[in-house]
Amino acid sequence: RPEHWALQPGPMQGAITVRIDLVDDLGADKLAHVTTLCHQHRFVVRVSADTELSDNVLALVPMVNKMTVFHKTTGLRLGGWA
């Protein structure tokens, strides 16, 4: 989910380094469309409207406590929200 990621000034160890492609200003929130530096993966991140997104290279950090993980073979849920 877009709101389960955070953008930090980057790059940062343990994070995914991304570049901003587009920012949609939704009023109370912004949707930042970002791409990894290798151009292989795209993400959409929801941030608050007052978040400054002037840096071109940022660190994309997952909110691990919001993650749900599934077993590769069985598809069964292994974890969930804390």
Side-chain angles (χ1 to χ4, degrees), residues 9 16 18-20 22 35 37-39 45 47 51 53 57 61 65 72 75:
I16 302 167
V18 296
R19 289 190 189 276
I20 295 176
L22 173 73
T35 305
L37 295 184
C38 62
H39 302 287
V45 183
V47 296
T51 301
L53 296 174
V57 175
V61 182
N65 63 328
K72 182 178 179 179

Side-chain angles (χ1 to χ4, degrees), residues 6 10 19 21-23 30-31 35 40 46 48 53 70 73-74:
R19 289 190 189 276
D21 298 322
L22 173 73
V23 177
K30 294 178 184 175
L31 290 180
T35 305
Q40 291 186 352
R46 180 176 295 208
S48 65
L53 296 174
F70 297 91
T73 305
T74 66

Side-chain angles (χ1 to χ4, degrees), residues 29-79:
D29 296 317
K30 294 178 184 175
L31 290 180
H33 299 257
V34 299
T35 305
T36 57
L37 295 184
C38 62
H39 302 287
Q40 291 186 352
H41 303 284
R42 293 181 181 183
F43 297 88
V44 178
V45 183
R46 180 176 295 208
V47 296
S48 65
D50 60 350
T51 301
E52 182 62 43
L53 296 174
S54 61
D55 293 340
N56 195 28
V57 175
L58 298 167
L60 180 63
V61 182
M63 294 180 184
V64 179
N65 63 328
K66 301 287 186 180
M67 239 182 234
T68 301
V69 181
F70 297 91
H71 189 276
K72 182 178 179 179
T73 305
T74 66
L76 295 174
R77 180 177 165 181
L78 300 177

